Amino acid sequence: MAGGNSTISGCSDAALKQLSSQITCDAQMVSSFGKSMGEKMWRVNALQLASAILAGLIVGIGIYGQRYRHHRFTRFIFLGATTLFLPVVSTVLSMGAGSNAYALWRHDSPLLSDAIPILFFGYMKQQWSQETSHHGELTVAEDAPPPLLVMGEEKRHVEKQPLGYVFKDDSWTTSHNNGLVTIDRVWRLDNMLPTSTLKPQKNLCFSFALFKLLRCRFARYKVTNNAGSKDALSFFWSLLLKDDQHDRVFLVISDELSFLHDYYYSSLPVYYSKYWLPILGIFISLLCIACCVLLITMLVRLVATEGYLPQIFCSVFCIQEQLVSNTWGEYYGSWYLDLVPVFLLLVLVMMAEVRDIASYICSNWTKVALICHLVHRASSQHSSLLKKRCIGRLLRCRCRVMKHWDEKIGQCSILEIRPSTTLLVPLRRLLHLPDQKKKVKVPAAVKVCIMEKLRSSRNGHLSNGTSCLRRRGQIGERLLWACNNKSTSRTILTWHIATSILEVRYTHLDDEEQGSSPVSSTNYKIAATRLSRYCAYLVTWCPELLPDDDEWSGSLYEDVKKDAERALAGCVAGGSLTPEAKCQHLIELLAANAKHEVLKEGARLGEQLVELMAEGDETAVWKLMAEFWSEMILHVAPSDNLKGHKEAIARGGELITLLWVLLFHAGIISRPGEEDVVAATSAGAV
């Protein structure tokens, strides 16, 4: 044994090297090793790229998709990316960990506040008490607004009373040198900035004041008629509900909803709690952008100097009978595949920071803060011209990414003359999804008709279309039967079917552009058809915002839709028939094949409307339809479903939510008779 040991220990290094050189590696084994390493590298690189894409989806949807991340599909993508991100990253890390049958190392590289609504509510109560102490009724005009609060109430000394927090003193009624910024002070800034710059910002401050009042509604305070302020209610009507002011009305309310959206679904209100927080945020964003630019520059310089570098260098050798063969090196992968995810993430971070900077500079919150700053400095004579110019430019900044409501409304139709034949139709039915929708921009004709109808409802009387019918005398009386349903959804679908029949009869109006005259047939048809399809969209997509039970409304739409598809199976969709013949053919098919009562009633009503068109003025009938749908959308808008409207605001906003807020500020918070029903129900429960 000893001799054997001495023989082995006496072997020279040269002899061992000679023996090692004589050992040969199996070619198939070496090929298999190289193939497995190549596959593993591609798998790691693919997972790295997937992790970068998932991170991009998470950050992109979270930052840029505020309107869309509450939709079903976008929410599914966002949650899926969030769920898969950590497992993918963990898999990438684990693939390089643990013991292996070969030596492996990475190539070294030189770079590897809730009390404000209660404050505000008490302030409105104080204002109401001051108004009632005056003799006679106050006259409020556009140039003399009431002192609605914009900013500064959080700095005042308050005390708690039975109806909420109120100011300890009444100095706000006699002097404005108390830190409060009110709408009447904003209206007196005409000498500070050009009118073209200041007028939109006045409306924005008014939206901000209304937003604070709307927060009281969401906080479940009993707020009616602008918290009891007669001046605020009178100012709202005199300022907004004038001729040719429909765009201004919609802009003020949409800005108000954008403030509400930011308050509940973004961090902007937190940043604007202190004046220096936005400045700090911009500084941090600029610092992050500078770091990203520096890293990208260094990576580009490294690529230019180093050229191609592998991701992994392996020393390969074979072992045979405890002897090791000579080693040789193998390179796998390219470090460009490591750099691609890094570049993507750095670019994504830069885009996110740029968006944050834009949100600070172009945000409506910034503009309101600047206007309030001007109000505080209005009495000072030391404001430089350069400072005013800088503020004016900031106030004119706009960013489409920051826009909350896209001014579009959903459209659905029960009577599809050319039904879709794609695979999505049976899939939607199998999964019990709502009817397919499309969105169109809200036409000016729709806004005009709604505003005209709202002006005639200042007394708070909202009808489901019966008012405009009764005003037409005998012609309207013939159609009242279609409004006698106790179900709002059933009435909507009946009139929607009838409106769709009229569309088939008068298709020639589709080729005309929207007329400049508000009394043209084209404008009335646009208003009637867009509102008809939007109400049908509400029945199937947003039934919770309607008066009826949402599940019942959705099932009613599906039943009528299926019956309409069955009844119209033989409808001629070609262009050989004239519009009159096509309309008559449609009515005959519905009358003969319809089984659902709503479909039968819709066909009957459509036939009556076609007869009215033949008997009288075409414009008058389309005007009647536009008035009916304007009354209907205003009738269904008031509601106490705060949760439903809050979810709609999170999705980007709905026209019915905008009208709900508009009616609230106009002093209309419920449908006729609804308060009595609620009171009777509450009394019965007690």
Side-chain angles (χ1 to χ4, degrees):
M1 279 305 272
N5 291 336
S6 63
T7 301
I8 295 176
S9 62
C11 291
S12 63
D13 292 339
L16 289 175
K17 290 181 179 180
Q18 184 178 3
L19 290 174
S20 299
S21 64
Q22 295 176 358
I23 298 175
T24 59
C25 294
D26 185 18
Q28 184 177 2
M29 183 183 300
V30 173
S31 176
S32 177
F33 170 77
K35 183 178 180 181
S36 64
M37 284 298 300
E39 291 177 353
K40 186 169 185 177
M41 289 307 305
W42 279 110
R43 191 159 58 247
V44 170
N45 290 327
L47 289 175
Q48 283 190 130
L49 182 61
S51 65
I53 294 175
L54 292 175
L57 288 173
I58 294 172
V59 177
I61 295 177
I63 295 179
Y64 291 92
Q66 292 187 8
R67 289 200 305 265
Y68 307 106
R69 60 184 176 185
H70 298 278
H71 290 273
R72 295 179 180 178
F73 179 75
T74 311
R75 186 165 61 244
F76 172 77
I77 296 296
F78 182 78
L79 293 177
T82 306
T83 305
L84 292 176
F85 180 72
L86 286 179
V88 170
V89 174
S90 301
T91 303
V92 173
L93 296 177
S94 64
M95 292 179 74
S99 60
N100 300 288
Y102 46 83
L104 173 68
W105 63 86
R106 300 286 291 182
H107 181 82
D108 292 334
S109 172
L111 278 179
L112 296 172
S113 136
D114 293 331
I116 291 180
I118 308 175
L119 197 48
F120 190 87
F121 187 74
Y123 171 84
M124 296 301 295
K125 290 295 183 182
Q126 282 181 293
Q127 183 182 343
W128 176 82
S129 63
Q130 291 290 329
E131 292 171 5
T132 55
S133 64
H134 293 284
H135 297 286
E137 184 176 354
L138 295 178
T139 302
V140 179
E142 184 175 348
D143 57 348
L148 288 174
L149 275 177
V150 181
M151 276 190 180
E153 67 272 18
E154 70 278 0
K155 300 178 182 179
R156 303 291 298 156
H157 296 290
V158 297
E159 61 182 359
K160 190 173 183 180
Q161 291 188 0
L163 295 179
Y165 290 90
V166 297
F167 295 129
K168 285 187 176 180
D169 52 58
D170 293 334
S171 59
W172 60 273
T173 61
T174 57
S175 174
H176 290 303
N177 297 322
N178 49 23
L180 290 179
V181 178
T182 53
I183 287 296
D184 56 329
R185 298 185 67 186
V186 173
W187 248 246
R188 291 197 292 267
L189 286 178
D190 295 329
N191 59 341
M192 297 289 292
L193 292 173
T195 304
S196 59
T197 300
L198 190 58
K199 187 174 181 179
Q201 310 316 322
K202 286 182 177 181
N203 294 335
L204 192 63
C205 290
F206 187 49
S207 299
F208 193 77
L210 295 179
F211 145 71
K212 291 192 172 183
L213 186 61
L214 188 60
R215 279 178 56 197
C216 297
R217 177 83 185 272
F218 276 93
R220 295 289 181 179
Y221 284 93
K222 188 177 180 182
V223 182
T224 58
N225 295 344
N226 285 303
S229 174
K230 296 179 181 178
D231 283 356
L233 183 63
S234 177
F235 176 70
F236 184 82
W237 282 94
S238 65
L239 178 64
L240 299 180
L241 302 184
K242 291 184 177 181
D243 292 336
D244 301 328
Q245 292 293 313
H246 51 272
D247 286 328
R248 189 180 184 186
V249 173
F250 277 75
L251 180 61
V252 168
I253 302 301
S254 62
D255 285 338
E256 177 186 359
L257 291 179
S258 72
F259 285 122
L260 192 72
H261 175 273
D262 292 340
Y263 180 78
Y264 285 112
Y265 302 105
S266 76
S267 58
L268 280 175
V270 177
Y271 277 97
Y272 284 90
S273 60
K274 300 292 183 180
Y275 74 92
W276 51 268
L277 284 178
I279 300 176
L280 178 62
I282 293 177
F283 175 77
I284 294 175
S285 296
L286 291 174
L287 186 61
C288 291
I289 293 175
C291 292
C292 291
V293 172
L294 180 62
L295 287 174
I296 291 176
T297 304
M298 295 175 67
L299 288 175
V300 171
R301 183 177 298 177
L302 188 63
V303 170
T305 56
E306 296 291 339
Y308 170 81
L309 289 175
Q311 287 178 288
I312 292 180
F313 172 76
C314 294
S315 292
V316 185
F317 53 87
C318 296
I319 302 176
Q320 184 177 355
E321 296 180 355
Q322 298 183 353
L323 293 177
V324 181
S325 68
N326 293 331
T327 62
W328 70 93
E330 291 287 346
Y331 296 91
Y332 295 94
S334 172
W335 77 317
Y336 295 137
L337 298 177
D338 279 340
L339 294 180
V340 168
V342 175
F343 273 111
L344 288 177
L345 291 177
L346 288 176
V347 171
L348 188 64
V349 170
M350 291 177 62
M351 292 175 60
E353 297 302 333
V354 169
R355 195 265 180 191
D356 285 344
I357 294 176
S359 68
Y360 291 125
I361 296 177
C362 303
S363 170
N364 287 339
W365 296 78
T366 300
K367 295 175 182 178
V368 171
L370 289 175
I371 290 295
C372 292
H373 174 77
L374 289 178
V375 169
H376 287 304
R377 298 292 184 271
S379 58
S380 175
Q381 302 298 327
H382 302 289
S383 297
S384 63
L385 181 61
L386 178 61
K387 184 177 181 181
K388 292 181 180 179
R389 288 179 177 176
C390 292
I391 293 178
R393 289 178 179 176
L394 286 176
L395 292 176
R396 288 192 295 269
C397 288
R398 281 178 172 79
C399 183
R400 295 186 64 182
V401 178
M402 305 300 300
K403 195 173 182 180
H404 173 64
W405 187 45
D406 56 4
E407 297 186 12
K408 292 184 177 181
I409 54 177
Q411 302 279 275
C412 286
S413 180
I414 287 182
L415 298 184
E416 292 287 349
I417 307 301
R418 295 182 178 90
S420 178
T421 58
T422 61
L423 294 176
L424 292 178
V425 175
L427 181 61
R428 300 180 74 88
R429 292 177 181 173
L430 180 63
L431 299 178
H432 300 286
L433 296 177
D435 194 13
Q436 189 175 4
K437 65 176 178 179
K438 64 177 182 179
K439 284 199 168 186
V440 298
K441 193 172 182 64
V442 181
V446 170
K447 300 178 182 179
V448 171
C449 289
I450 291 177
M451 290 299 105
E452 288 180 353
K453 188 54 58 179
L454 181 58
R455 293 188 190 102
S456 64
S457 305
R458 185 168 183 177
N459 57 1
H461 179 66
L462 299 175
S463 74
N464 62 344
T466 57
S467 297
C468 66
L469 295 178
R470 290 193 174 97
R471 284 196 299 270
R472 296 304 177 94
Q474 293 183 353
I475 294 178
E477 294 290 339
R478 293 164 55 185
L479 307 176
L480 279 175
W481 66 268
C483 298
N484 293 332
N485 295 316
K486 295 182 179 179
S487 165
T488 302
S489 299
R490 183 163 179 163
T491 303
I492 287 175
L493 295 183
T494 300
W495 282 84
H496 166 70
I497 294 169
T499 307
S500 301
I501 292 174
L502 281 184
E503 281 190 85
V504 175
R505 170 64 179 82
Y506 293 90
T507 54
H508 65 280
L509 293 178
D510 297 335
D511 300 328
E512 301 178 13
E513 295 183 358
Q514 184 170 334
S516 57
S517 174
V519 296
S520 65
S521 297
T522 305
N523 284 340
Y524 288 135
K525 184 194 175 184
I526 288 174
T529 55
R530 296 297 187 272
L531 287 175
S532 168
R533 294 175 184 174
Y534 179 67
C535 289
Y537 156 84
L538 291 177
V539 174
T540 182
W541 280 93
C542 306
E544 69 278 1
L545 301 180
L546 297 176
D548 299 329
D549 179 74
D550 52 349
E551 293 185 3
W552 182 86
S553 297
S555 63
L556 176 66
Y557 181 93
E558 292 300 322
D559 293 341
V560 177
K561 178 76 173 180
K562 291 179 182 178
D563 192 46
E565 291 176 351
R566 182 195 54 79
L568 298 178
C571 185
V572 178
S576 59
L577 297 178
T578 63
E580 294 84 355
K582 191 181 297 184
C583 178
Q584 187 62 33
H585 180 57
L586 176 61
I587 294 174
E588 291 174 356
L589 279 177
L590 293 177
N593 301 331
K595 294 182 179 180
H596 202 286
E597 288 298 323
V598 172
L599 195 58
K600 292 180 181 179
E601 292 174 356
R604 175 189 168 192
L605 178 62
E607 186 175 10
Q608 283 185 286
L609 292 173
V610 171
E611 292 175 356
L612 285 177
M613 286 282 195
E615 294 174 2
D617 185 11
E618 178 181 306
T619 303
V621 177
W622 278 119
K623 182 180 180 181
L624 175 65
M625 298 302 294
E627 290 178 349
F628 170 84
W629 284 113
S630 300
E631 280 191 12
M632 176 59 73
I633 194 65
L634 289 173
H635 172 75
V636 300
S639 124
D640 198 35
N641 186 6
L642 299 178
K643 180 181 178 181
H645 284 292
K646 190 175 179 181
E647 292 175 353
I649 292 171
R651 296 192 302 265
E654 290 284 353
L655 175 63
I656 190 173
T657 299
L658 189 145
L659 297 178
W660 173 71
V661 176
L662 177 62
L663 291 174
F664 165 66
H665 293 307
I668 304 173
I669 60 174
S670 62
R671 284 174 287 274
E674 203 170 53
E675 291 182 343
D676 299 335
V677 173
V678 174
T681 304
S682 302
V686 174

